Amino acid sequence: MNFLIQALWAPLTETYFQKALIGGCAVALVSGAVGSLVVLRRMAFLGDALSHAMIAGVAGGYLAMKLLFGVEAYAPAMLLGSLIAAIITVALIGVVSKVSQVKEDTVIGIMYTGVFALGVVVVSIFRQYIHIDLMHFIMGDILGVADTDLWASAIVSASVLTILVLFFRHFQLASFDPIMAASTGLPVLLLDYALTGCVSMVVVSAVSMVGVILVVGLLITPAATAYLLSDRLDKMMALASLFGVTSVIGGLYLCVWLDSAGGGAVMLFCTLQFLVVLVLAPRYGLLARWRRLRNMIPQQVVEDVLITILRQEGETPLKVLQQFVQVPQPGSLWKAVKQMEAEGLIEALPQGYRLTVVGEKQAANVLRAHRIWESYLASIGTPEEALHPTAHRLEHIHGAGTVEYLDQKLGKPEVDPHGQRIPRRGNGAGKKGSAIDHEEQ
């Protein structure tokens, strides 16, 4: 126990760990909030493009400060240059994708690699003016956070969070329904550029800690984790920020305990969080999906139960259902009956089960499909003894307009090959027995 307490407390006494914790948590808070919008808008690849294009903006900021003012560039120049590079990159992507036949995702891949290459070439050509450690820029060093990085992350976090709070409803509407947002007068394009600017500022503030390669993960992974747990944007943003903070805290401890790279440890912990939630999420997790699939009743079983009760013309005991309804495994019929009762398709009576009004309409539609299939099969020369079993298999096909197409093709027949009336779509079976074929049982 003392060892565990010491392992948790000892890093907190170190200045470098405290700075990394403060700066990392500040960036994680805003990354989760902005990342939620990025995930909803499916802009993950664009975030990757902005992070790589940032090196051109950093190089431009350093070079401008050195040549124009004779001083080394620090965080403000880097931030401004990165924002300019991000805006230029997004503008190029938009223009090229509109004026050419190349799709947007391909244009993003072309432009961000081109802008990234431009930044690398500028750094190499003007290396006497630009002092950038490319490996540090790419991989990051969260344990080496400087005071200027802390101030930059604090200012960026406060600014971006303020924008998100003030224009939350605008971003929400533009993310879920941009057409409606434009019809109500919202400047959708301006909101897109504002979000791009926010993403760029977050990337700039985080790149010195986790590097260009991993900064996209800090934007996307906590938001994707929260997406598995929430259906509301505000809750998703809060959860994403929380997951981002826990990723930084857990990753920093992993980094110290394992003596590993800081940025990699943060993203490793973040990814592990995502995998755990992916498995255990109560609604959208893999275990929940497996439980739903295990408890799922095949639609064919439901429809066979409806048809069987319809043809019995009254209370249908469970033994009769067991006789006529084939189930994939023992117990499935009982679960199907209970599920149908809960959904209001059938109702339990002392002597068995009876269709409700809704259940009778659905049963009539299945019976209609059966008899139309029989009519079609008879029209193409199917032997009479094969009509019923073949139609029984085909009646459960619910392709778009399949039955209606056959009905039109056959000239809307009134009766099937056995002389039984074919119910019209959406109607019940009519009088008891009028649309029921006892012989088909």
Side-chain angles (χ1 to χ4, degrees):
M1 187 65 179
N2 290 332
F3 172 77
L4 181 60
I5 295 176
Q6 183 66 19
L8 293 174
W9 178 254
L12 291 173
T13 61
E14 301 292 340
T15 304
Y16 73 89
F17 192 88
Q18 296 171 1
K19 287 185 177 181
L21 198 61
I22 295 172
C25 288
V27 170
L29 278 171
V30 69
S31 295
V34 173
S36 299
L37 293 172
V38 171
V39 168
L40 290 176
R41 288 168 169 247
R42 299 181 181 180
M43 291 171 53
F45 195 25
L46 181 60
D48 191 26
L50 294 178
S51 66
H52 282 76
M54 200 189 80
I55 189 172
V58 171
Y62 265 77
L63 188 61
M65 291 294 290
K66 186 67 176 180
L67 295 180
L68 297 179
F69 302 101
V71 296
E72 296 286 345
Y74 291 103
M78 184 175 71
L79 179 61
L80 181 60
S82 300
L83 286 176
I84 294 174
I87 292 173
I88 292 174
T89 302
V90 172
L92 287 174
I93 291 171
V95 170
V96 174
S97 60
K98 287 181 180 179
V99 301
S100 69
Q101 295 182 348
V102 183
K103 293 185 177 180
E104 187 177 22
D105 58 341
T106 305
V107 176
I108 291 175
I110 294 171
M111 289 302 164
Y112 96 74
T113 51
V115 177
F116 181 75
L118 174 64
V120 172
V121 170
V122 171
V123 170
S124 61
I125 292 176
F126 297 97
R127 53 185 174 273
Q128 69 272 27
Y129 300 117
I130 304 173
H131 305 294
I132 298 178
D133 183 358
L134 287 180
M135 283 305 297
H136 172 75
F137 184 81
I138 293 173
M139 300 304 296
D141 184 13
I142 194 170
L143 295 179
V145 176
D147 291 343
T148 53
D149 294 327
L150 290 179
W151 280 109
S153 62
I155 294 172
V156 166
S157 299
S159 302
V160 173
L161 287 177
T162 301
I163 293 173
L164 293 180
V165 171
L166 291 178
F167 300 100
F168 173 77
R169 295 299 179 190
H170 300 74
F171 283 121
Q172 185 180 36
L173 183 57
S175 297
F176 286 105
D177 195 342
I179 296 177
M180 180 179 177
S183 66
T184 59
L186 287 180
V188 176
L189 184 61
L190 182 60
L191 289 172
D192 290 343
Y193 278 106
L195 180 59
T196 301
C198 291
V199 172
S200 303
M201 290 192 289
V202 172
V203 167
V204 171
S205 62
V207 75
S208 63
M209 302 181 192
V210 296
V212 167
I213 297 176
L214 299 179
V215 69
V216 180
L218 199 59
L219 271 172
I220 303 304
T221 310
T225 307
Y227 187 65
L228 295 171
L229 297 172
S230 173
D231 292 325
R232 293 181 58 85
L233 179 58
D234 50 356
K235 184 180 177 182
M236 179 181 172
M237 285 181 166
L239 286 174
S241 298
L242 176 62
F243 283 124
V245 170
T246 55
S247 298
V248 170
I249 296 173
L252 286 176
Y253 275 109
L254 278 181
C255 171
V256 172
W257 293 340
L258 302 178
D259 192 21
S260 66
V266 169
M267 288 314 306
L268 177 61
F269 193 89
C270 190
T271 304
L272 290 176
Q273 278 188 151
F274 171 78
L275 294 176
V276 171
V277 173
L278 177 64
V279 173
L280 301 178
R283 291 186 61 186
Y284 305 115
L286 296 180
L287 283 179
R289 182 175 182 271
W290 174 77
R291 286 196 299 267
R292 286 196 300 270
L293 291 176
R294 187 188 65 177
N295 297 328
M296 185 179 295
I297 305 301
Q299 184 64 21
Q300 180 174 342
V301 174
V302 174
E303 293 178 353
D304 285 347
V305 171
L306 291 173
I307 287 295
T308 302
I309 298 177
L310 179 67
R311 286 170 173 161
Q312 293 299 313
E313 302 186 42
E315 297 184 28
T316 305
L318 185 62
K319 289 183 179 180
V320 175
L321 295 177
Q322 292 171 340
Q323 179 181 355
F324 292 106
V325 178
Q326 295 181 353
V327 293
Q329 57 187 5
S332 296
L333 179 59
W334 176 250
K335 288 196 297 185
V337 168
K338 288 300 179 183
Q339 177 179 309
M340 295 170 66
E341 188 178 352
E343 293 176 356
L345 298 176
I346 61 176
E347 57 181 345
L349 298 173
Q351 302 300 322
Y353 297 92
R354 180 176 66 186
L355 294 176
T356 63
V357 175
V358 176
E360 186 173 340
K361 288 183 179 180
Q362 290 197 18
N365 287 332
V366 177
L367 185 62
R368 175 173 182 268
H370 179 92
R371 291 177 175 172
I372 288 177
W373 274 111
E374 281 190 335
S375 301
Y376 174 73
L377 292 171
S379 71
I380 61 175
T382 304
E384 185 175 353
E385 62 274 10
L387 290 179
H388 176 68
T390 306
H392 179 70
R393 292 193 301 270
L394 295 174
E395 70 188 23
H396 304 292
I397 297 177
H398 296 283
T402 302
V403 174
E404 300 309 314
Y405 170 77
L406 293 177
D407 192 30
Q408 293 283 348
K409 185 177 180 66
L410 294 170
K412 295 184 178 295
E414 296 292 332
V415 296
D416 68 1
H418 304 289
Q420 302 296 326
R421 186 177 68 83
I422 299 176
R424 290 296 92 198
R425 179 172 177 80
N427 296 327
K431 294 181 180 180
K432 292 290 186 179
S434 62
I436 302 171
D437 181 7
H438 298 281
E439 300 300 324
E440 290 183 358
Q441 294 269 16

